[in-house]
Amino acid sequence: MFFAVAGHCLTVVSIDARYTKPLTVDYIMIAPGQTMDVLLEANRTLGSNNRYYMAARAFITLPVDERMLIDIDVNFLPCDTTNATNKLCKGPQGNQFAASLNNVSFESPAIDVLDAYYYGSGRGVYEEDFPNKPVNAFVNPTGDNGGRPLLTKRGTKVKVVEYGTVVEVVFQDLSSENHPMHLHGFAFYVVGRGSGTFDERRDPATYNLVDPPFQNTVSVPKSSWAAIRFRADNPGVWFMHCHFDRHVVWGMDTVFIVKDGKTPQAQMLPRPPNMPEC
């Protein structure tokens, strides 16, 4: 635990019942089973009540269990060139505009993922192989690759995590516009940001692990990256998507499935009886 008294210093004179050289500090960190003798001089006044907070906080961080690097892109789906009447084929070279995460353009199934997972009928509805890293390393965010459009593919791919897993997601924007990425069911810490391409060896050293903002939507600027962390302690089926409606329709989304924990409080609740079906 960290422990401090507002407006005062603490002088440590003994640790685990052994005298030590006096050390004056603003706060102490004490481990489980440890004892400390500290001196506090009540030599401060403030206002009329002369009251000061004593505060303690657990020494805990999010150790990361699973890391994901997700490329955000606006790209294209191939169209059937024999079908000249397809109104969606308005992109370059007659292809269809699309959007993707890790080169997967999410396709909404006929049966919703929530019901399919809860009732155990997920086979044929979704695939549990959403990639942790980009399938293709796109380095040109302009939508053109040697004169050819960057093609993606449709898929209903979801990410399944164990209950309590600490997940880090780095969003890498490859497109020419910003993207507000939103995760249902959780708030997350935005631990890092940067321009250009994320460097997994260098950039984590710049993370703010002291007082990062706690949000449920993070804006990822064009040609930049943003890193978030959250603990998967809310079992269920949770949508993650760009908040631009057009990009959701185009497929810039996926689903996190958080498995049940071991205690009753960590179990997914059934669908309410009055909830309309998809």
Side-chain angles (χ1 to χ4, degrees):
M1 302 287 286
F2 291 106
F3 175 80
V5 180
H8 292 77
C9 292
L10 303 173
T11 301
V12 181
V13 296
S14 175
I15 300 176
D16 292 333
R18 298 294 188 273
Y19 287 121
T20 184
K21 181 180 179 180
L23 176 66
T24 301
V25 293
D26 293 326
Y27 61 88
I28 61 171
M29 185 185 77
I30 186 168
Q34 190 176 48
T35 63
M36 289 186 182
D37 293 335
V38 299
L39 304 179
L40 180 144
E41 184 179 357
N43 59 357
R44 297 288 302 274
T45 61
L46 181 64
S48 59
N49 56 16
N50 300 335
R51 295 178 181 177
Y52 300 87
Y53 280 111
M54 291 189 293
R57 186 177 69 176
F59 179 48
I60 188 170
T61 59
L62 294 179
V64 176
D65 300 310
E66 185 148 10
R67 288 181 166 86
M68 303 177 69
L69 175 62
I70 298 181
D71 277 355
I72 303 171
D73 207 2
V74 174
N75 35 32
F76 309 96
L77 287 166
C79 276
D80 183 0
T81 56
T82 61
N83 186 2
T85 61
N86 191 335
K87 296 181 180 180
L88 297 177
C89 300
K90 301 298 183 181
Q93 301 180 16
N95 290 298
Q96 177 180 337
F97 284 106
S100 65
L101 299 176
N102 277 353
N103 205 35
V104 178
S105 182
F106 190 81
E107 185 172 28
S108 297
I111 301 173
D112 66 88
V113 177
L114 174 62
D115 272 355
Y117 172 70
Y118 185 79
Y119 294 110
S121 57
R123 187 180 299 274
V125 177
Y126 59 83
E127 299 174 279
E128 299 179 1
D129 60 349
F130 183 86
N132 280 353
K133 291 187 176 182
V135 177
N136 296 316
F138 294 151
V139 294
N140 185 350
T142 62
D144 183 84
N145 183 19
R148 292 174 288 112
L150 297 175
L151 297 178
T152 186
K153 57 184 178 180
R154 288 196 180 277
T156 309
K157 297 182 181 293
V158 305
K159 176 64 180 178
V160 180
V161 296
E162 297 290 333
Y163 180 86
T165 299
V166 175
V167 183
E168 176 180 297
V169 179
V170 178
F171 296 107
Q172 176 74 64
D173 190 346
L174 299 178
S175 71
S176 58
E177 55 185 319
N178 305 333
H179 296 283
M181 299 304 298
H182 174 61
L183 175 60
H184 290 213
F186 296 92
F188 47 73
Y189 292 100
V190 181
V191 296
R193 294 179 178 276
S195 59
T197 302
F198 177 76
D199 188 324
E200 62 181 357
R201 294 172 297 178
R202 178 194 65 201
D203 289 329
T206 67
Y207 283 178
N208 174 10
L209 303 181
V210 178
D211 55 356
F214 200 44
Q215 307 170 196
N216 62 38
T217 303
V218 58
S219 179
V220 188
K222 63 180 181 180
S223 302
S224 299
W225 59 269
I228 68 170
R229 288 183 182 180
F230 66 95
R231 187 183 300 278
D233 55 3
N234 189 9
V237 177
W238 305 110
F239 199 38
M240 184 176 75
H241 61 95
C242 176
H243 246 312
F244 293 150
D245 288 346
R246 179 175 60 179
H247 292 170
V248 176
V249 173
W250 283 359
M252 191 176 285
D253 30 80
T254 188
V255 169
F256 274 95
I257 294 180
V258 179
K259 297 171 71 172
D260 283 347
K262 296 181 179 180
T263 64
Q265 293 78 13
Q267 305 290 319
M268 182 178 172
L269 295 175
R271 175 191 291 271
N274 62 342
M275 181 176 176
E277 292 189 3
C278 180

